[in-house]
Amino acid sequence: MYKYLVFLVFTGLLSCKSNSKNEKVEIIQSEATVSNELKQEVIQDTKGWLGLIYDQDYSQSWDNAASLFQKAVTKEQWTQQLSGIVPPLGEVISRDVISSEYHTTLPGAPDGEYIVIQFKTSFENKNESLETVTQMKDGDQWKVSGYFIK
């Protein structure tokens, strides 16, 4: 069996709130938006970052991640996690964007600017996976602050 969780720095994809009785959960959509051009640039950067992982350049992927990511996990922890999960998946066959959403809040993360991107990815040894990458505005650059695969 494949391990499904690589490492998740931020677990939330959408901000949620519930009433006092926890009976109902509502999805809160961010009203702010970013241009499609910016989203496309961030998606391309994300694909490059994922390329580092699947070229097994784990150390460089950590170096290129957001400072918040680097504070949450050491380079050694990141490398160890990935080295046990990535090689058995084999080569990437295809990776297609299925969504990209802009948010200013995410559960468990400080307020800021985030773009959550989901990919449908097929690997040599795993036909279908869902990769979720969270990019955040870190200073004046967009950098990865979270990665999840299942």
Side-chain angles (χ1 to χ4, degrees), residues 7-13 66 68-69 72 106-110 114 132 134 136 144-148:
F7 189 83
L8 181 60
V9 177
F10 296 119
T11 58
L13 298 180
L68 196 59
F69 180 101
L106 290 175
Y114 299 90
T132 303
T134 302
M136 73 176 292
V144 172
S145 63
Y147 176 61
F148 179 79

Side-chain angles (χ1 to χ4, degrees), residues 92-136:
V92 174
I93 304 301
S94 67
R95 178 177 283 127
D96 300 309
V97 176
I98 56 175
S99 70
S100 62
E101 297 179 0
Y102 176 80
H103 300 277
T104 55
T105 61
L106 290 175
D111 289 350
E113 293 186 76
Y114 299 90
I115 298 177
V116 179
I117 307 159
Q118 290 192 312
F119 298 92
K120 179 181 172 184
T121 307
S122 294
F123 296 95
E124 182 179 24
N125 300 318
K126 182 160 179 53
N127 192 30
E128 194 171 300
S129 298
L130 179 66
E131 290 180 296
T132 303
V133 181
T134 302
Q135 286 261 15
M136 73 176 292

